[in-house]
Amino acid sequence: MPMVLLSCDSAIPERQKHIYLKAPDEDTREYLPVSNAATIPGTLSERGCAFCGAKLVIGGVLKDTIQMIHGPIGCAYDTWHTKRYPTDNGHFNMKYVWSTDMKESHIVFGGEKRLEKSMHEAFDEMPDIKRMIVYTTCPTALIGDDVKAVAKKVMQDRPDVDIFTVECPGFSGVSQSKGHHVLNIGWINEKVGTLDAEITSDYTMNFIGDFNIQGDTQLLQTYWDRLGIQVIGHFTGNASYDDLRKMHKAQLNVVNCARSSGYIANELKKQYGIPRLDIDSWGFSYMAEGIRKICAFFGIEERGEKLIEEEFAIWKPKLDWYKERLQGTRMAIWTGGPRLWHWTKSVEDDLGVQVVAMSSKFGHEEDFEKVIARGQEGTYYIDDGNELEFFEIIDLVKPDVIFTGPRVGELVKKLHIPYVNGHAYHNGPYMGFEGFVNLARDMYNAVHNPLKHLAGIDIRVAESNTADQYARAEANPVYQRFFDNPNQASGNDSLMRVAG
Amino acid sequence: MSAEALESKIGDLFDYVQERCLWQFSSRTWDRQANIDGVLAKAADLFLGRSPSRESPEDKLHCAEASVLVSDCRERYPWTGSVDETEVLTLMEGLKSRLVDIAITQSKNRELNHHLY
Amino acid sequence: MTACETAEIPLAEVKFEPKDRAGVINPMYDCQPAGAQFAGIGVTDSIPLVHGGQGCSMFVRLLFAQHFKENFDIASTSLHEESAVFGGTKRVEEGVMVLAKRYPNLRVIPIITTCSTEVIGDDIEGTINVCNRALKKEFPDRKIYLAPVHTPSFKGSQVSGYDECVASIVKTIAKKGKPHDGVNLFPGWVNPGDISLLKHYMKEMDVEATFFMDTESFDSPMLPDKSIQTHGNTTVEHIQDSANAKATFALARYEGASAGEYLRDQFEVPHYLVNTPYGIKNTDDMLRKISEVTGKAIPESLVHERGLALDALADLAHMFFANKKVAIYGHPDLVIGLAEFCLEVELEPVLLLIGDDQGSKYKKDPRIKALKERVHFPMEIIHNADLWELEKRITSGELKLDLIMGHSKGRYIAIYNNIPMVRVGFPTFDRAGLYRKPTVGYRGAMELGEAIANALFAHMEYNKDKEWILNTW
């Protein structure tokens, strides 16, 4: 099956290069969605910007660091209170955000003085905090403020502080992904190797690409503790700034999120010769496999088997309870990128769930190689999917549940499709053995929500016809109804209608 | 082993690697090549019941990957229990060439040859 | 509080000053384009096109989803690097055509600039001319209004951005026609629950009122036919006809009043700026002014509703609210209005925080002057404020508060300092369903008073602090 041009994309036929429907006996040599490419303006893409990729996804996770955003107020406001990454020190990272609150005069005359003043103020107001990341934004990049020079000056004035600068304005790259890259490369080149680690175990590793969403990092840490493995740097879940300056001291890099953080693992290999092991921390069998590989690397296989046995004893029966009840559930995954390939096979193997459509916001072609290799035939693989495409895909694949963000979740709720927060989780953590049971539970609770069925009932129709109504509601195609037959549309949902 | 049987067994191994192994999909050509070469060399040793060398950190990594591959394939494909040395080496060569073909030579991934990470 | 503390009446000094730091720690407002987007989604068949980086619309869509638990369609020109160097007007042209082609019922596209595209200096008006020609050629039978909305993020805030977008949409679409007896009502940045209540008042008074923007359907249902009704209710026809109304009432000085002034200056529609109707007296004033201008009497039903509110609030005011110290933060019209409401129910709003760089405007606000003359306790009004101003006053022990009123972005201050908090304003994502409840009008005053009381009561119970008082209430 070639790449797919959806009806809603007839005006933007270049979208065909981004949507693939996998057919038997095809592989990525023939078809691979073009990705990490410029967004078409006006498509209602789901993408964010490079700045948020750096600040919101990676840097802002750190538990002891001032996040100084050099720009107008919105960039700070918008990357605050949109994440669920707790820390073990009272969630300093989620409570505060800092901005230089740039005004017109700073655009005209330069914002460096304003930045310097704001940095000193921030340290003065929070005297216990000694670490800072400074981010540029679109306007400060355009006017060319030299944030590195300002950071250097502030560090000279305050010998006890350390400052890292990230220069990736929102317009750089095509998505969040550019921000991941800039932060990774900047950190390895400027900060890794500037502090020595105290080694407390014969086995040391960095755990890269996990941001402690609802406690993922902290759950996995209990495994590493039981295995006797010292984690030098968590990049960046529940991490402190200084932990990550010591990453060069580890023997192994274990990578979960290869998209956001693969760069630093590659550089650690290139610059320090530390090997990179990619694992999936989501999924029951994957987690066991990851632990086996880590333990095999260190030659502590028995410890790994013991841990897996203990965890299986507790969690496998619970997982199987859900598996029995989730068999055949049709799932769509519309998230950032890597979760597509982390999840598609694990939900299939561990839960009997069929992933029928996947859309990635910022994945690269590497991510599509991974997911198409793992994913099913008859499934749609979409790069940078947009809203109208989602409606059409829903009609084509009829998912029972969609793992996506809360805004899209609110949208599909109107179509009587439950969502589970695929970014920040409903009730996580979702990593590890326990975490995957949490994921299964949330999926089960979503799919079995009685409200979904009640929503399909029209109380004007006699109750005796209720069964028919269920059937009608199930069969009622969303996209077809709104686009192909405008006369059926009711009320004021006019944007969803086709003219004449 | 007939050519057909060989192809079918290589196909089994190829399917397994495609489905399970992230090491074939590293970011750049040279990493993919190193992983394919390294893991399959260690896997060959393990299939033959030999202890692969674990000198360098890379060796240890490839051994760790290969150990899971071999134990999974032994479970999945009973025929792996009855292959001799020549067959193993032929299978690994065949598998390697298919992996190189899909992950490197014919990959449509436009970032594979960028000289920087 | 001991009896002797109560008896001591301190000197009533009202300070009105900006915060003394340059930077911001925990902002109260988003930037101008965010406010413009909120205004832009209030129009039926409108998809705002934000000319800037993708984050400028993506996070604002998320913010609206957090508050309303709904999805809103907002597009981006997806400014990438080459546009930052060579200009991004081509991406506006492309974005407009893509939207027009894929959304056949689209009628309005507010084109909202951001800091980046203002710095680059893209000529939006010129681009709109180009787009209009292209649209006419491609769709000879359709009219799509393109409204230029200049909202550089380095000026004002979401408050001024909202005002700017409402004004731009009205300027783009309003046109002289047959005069009618209806009135224009600019409610400001309020919730669907507020719009419902104001509509009810207008209906009771038999006044034909059009709301700019009518966001009542931002609270939208799940329906058997799966239709999606989450959209603004203010139509192109409503906006066209705003030029022909009998009068304009602007309920918020900083949120929408500019459009009323434009209609006055351009089309001679009489413009009345009334006090934002928070609390009893402000609601009285609003209703009286509308009655006076339209000649429609205030009906008995509203006397009844007013009485219900007074009756409920009288149970709370001097028993529970008197001498309680309150900090209020948020939009200026909201904060000033709520401070006036607090005085009515004997709460003491000792700290008011309003944000952004519009201090010179706030300084001239007659309501602030009136507050200064009215209060009998020390009060501090900080403009260009951030939430750190509130937090540091509390953590330093300088300020003892009984209650915080504000939006959810300040939630941690209340949580970690064990201070009761009533969520009000925008956004209120950490409480369920608040967008559905009115805060304006008599009913809003009553429900807000009750929310305050219940927050104080729950606090007494959780802290075992005279919780027995409620035994006999």
Side-chain angles (χ1 to χ4, degrees), chain A residues 41-288:
Chain A
T43 48
L44 276 82
S45 152
E46 293 285 316
R47 284 173 162 175
C49 62
F51 158 73
C52 90
K55 190 275 168 182
L56 189 62
V57 176
I58 306 182
V61 183
L62 297 180
K63 63 184 172 190
D64 59 352
T65 302
I66 290 169
Q67 310 287 327
M68 179 58 71
I69 296 155
H70 183 32
I73 200 67
C75 307
Y77 185 97
D78 288 340
T79 53
W80 177 44
H81 282 133
T82 65
K83 282 281 189 178
R84 290 170 172 167
Y85 35 54
T87 64
D88 59 12
N89 69 343
H91 329 309
F92 178 77
N93 59 338
M94 292 195 289
K95 283 185 197 158
Y96 301 103
V97 74
W98 297 257
S99 169
T100 58
D101 191 20
M102 212 176 186
K103 294 296 172 188
E104 191 159 28
S105 62
H106 313 117
I107 300 289
V108 178
F109 301 111
E112 292 170 14
K113 286 208 158 51
R114 174 80 156 194
L115 172 62
E116 186 182 345
K117 189 162 190 301
S118 301
M119 290 166 77
H120 282 299
E121 282 172 3
F123 284 123
D124 288 341
E125 295 292 331
M126 298 183 174
D128 296 340
I129 305 293
K130 303 292 184 192
R131 299 290 178 261
M132 177 184 281
I133 302 181
V134 178
Y135 302 85
T136 56
T137 58
C138 295
T140 48
L142 286 169
I143 64 171
D145 276 355
D146 187 349
V147 297
K148 279 208 178 352
V150 178
K152 206 171 153 193
K153 188 155 181 280
V154 173
M155 280 199 280
Q156 275 162 5
D157 293 345
R158 293 175 176 264
D160 58 345
V161 307
D162 199 83
I163 300 165
F164 175 57
T165 55
V166 179
E167 297 185 64
C168 62
F171 58 72
S172 54
V174 300
S175 71
Q176 293 89 316
S177 184
K178 179 71 176 180
H180 307 150
H181 183 251
V182 171
L183 192 144
N184 271 250
I185 298 298
W187 188 266
I188 181 89
N189 288 338
E190 293 169 31
K191 294 300 172 192
V192 173
T194 58
L195 263 190
D196 230 357
E198 190 195 338
I199 303 298
T200 56
S201 166
D202 292 339
Y203 316 113
T204 58
M205 68 181 194
N206 296 312
F207 199 85
I208 294 175
D210 145 43
F211 305 102
N212 201 30
I213 305 299
Q214 291 211 29
D216 278 342
T217 311
Q218 288 163 298
L219 173 64
L220 297 191
Q221 183 61 45
T222 63
Y223 301 163
W224 317 136
D225 287 343
R226 282 154 68 189
L227 295 169
I229 300 170
Q230 180 187 1
V231 179
I232 306 269
H234 283 285
F235 193 88
T236 54
N238 194 35
S240 74
Y241 183 103
D242 284 355
D243 290 345
L244 300 182
R245 298 165 73 185
K246 308 168 186 168
M247 292 176 84
H248 60 296
K249 293 307 245 186
Q251 297 159 347
L252 176 67
N253 290 311
V254 178
V255 178
N256 175 68
C257 183
R259 180 75 281 124
S260 66
S261 320
Y263 315 102
I264 198 165
N266 288 339
E267 289 292 336
L268 283 163
K269 179 174 156 193
K270 187 166 101 185
Q271 298 184 26
Y272 296 96
I274 309 170
R276 164 179 170 168
L277 172 64
D278 284 68
I279 67 161
D280 303 89
S281 317
W282 288 286
F284 221 77
S285 60
Y286 278 148
M287 189 72 245

Side-chain angles (χ1 to χ4, degrees), chain B residues 9-115:
Chain B
K9 284 173 183 170
I10 293 172
D12 283 349
L13 297 171
F14 177 76
D15 288 348
Y16 170 83
V17 174
Q18 275 274 292
E19 185 192 305
R20 298 296 300 187
C21 300
L22 293 170
W23 46 259
Q24 67 191 309
F25 295 122
S26 292
S27 322
R28 298 290 179 263
T29 302
W30 56 89
D31 292 319
R32 291 186 177 193
Q33 187 73 55
N35 282 345
I36 292 168
D37 292 345
V39 176
L40 296 191
K42 304 294 179 197
D45 283 343
L46 291 170
F47 272 125
L48 296 169
R50 299 175 187 153
S51 299
S53 71
R54 298 179 89 261
E55 300 295 314
S56 69
E58 280 294 294
D59 274 347
K60 284 169 39 181
L61 176 82
H62 294 144
C63 284
E65 293 283 16
S67 69
V68 169
L69 181 150
V70 169
S71 103
D72 278 1
C73 287
R74 286 219 162 107
E75 200 172 300
R76 235 190 235 210
Y77 310 119
W79 57 258
T80 50
S82 57
V83 280
D84 62 27
E85 177 160 359
T86 326
E87 282 170 337
V88 165
L89 295 178
T90 315
L91 283 169
M92 288 300 121
E93 275 312 307
L95 176 58
K96 188 189 288 184
S97 95
R98 288 187 68 168
L99 288 175
V100 167
D101 190 61
I102 195 167
I104 299 174
T105 322
Q106 291 205 60
S107 170
K108 293 172 115 61
N109 180 343
R110 295 167 302 158
E111 291 175 349
L112 272 189
N113 293 301
H114 199 294
H115 70 288

Side-chain angles (χ1 to χ4, degrees), chain C residues 9 41 48 61 146 191 210 215 239 285-286 365 384 413 456:
Chain C
I9 310 280
I41 56 175
R61 296 180 76 187
L146 307 178
N191 274 321
T210 308
T215 56
I239 303 166
D285 289 351
M286 174 191 73
D365 192 321
N384 200 23
I413 304 175
L456 296 174

Side-chain angles (χ1 to χ4, degrees), chain C residues 40-95:
Chain C
I41 56 175
V43 178
T44 317
D45 300 335
S46 160
I47 298 182
L49 177 63
V50 180
H51 186 30
Q54 292 163 154
C56 306
S57 58
M58 189 47 53
F59 285 103
V60 174
R61 296 180 76 187
L62 177 59
L63 179 69
F64 296 158
Q66 283 184 307
H67 178 79
F68 293 106
K69 311 293 181 232
E70 298 283 353
N71 170 70
F72 297 93
D73 288 349
I74 299 172
S76 171
T77 60
S78 297
L79 196 78
H80 297 326
E81 215 135 351
E82 77 289 349
S83 315
V85 179
F86 301 112
T89 54
K90 283 273 172 273
R91 295 191 76 81
V92 177
E93 292 167 28
E94 197 183 344

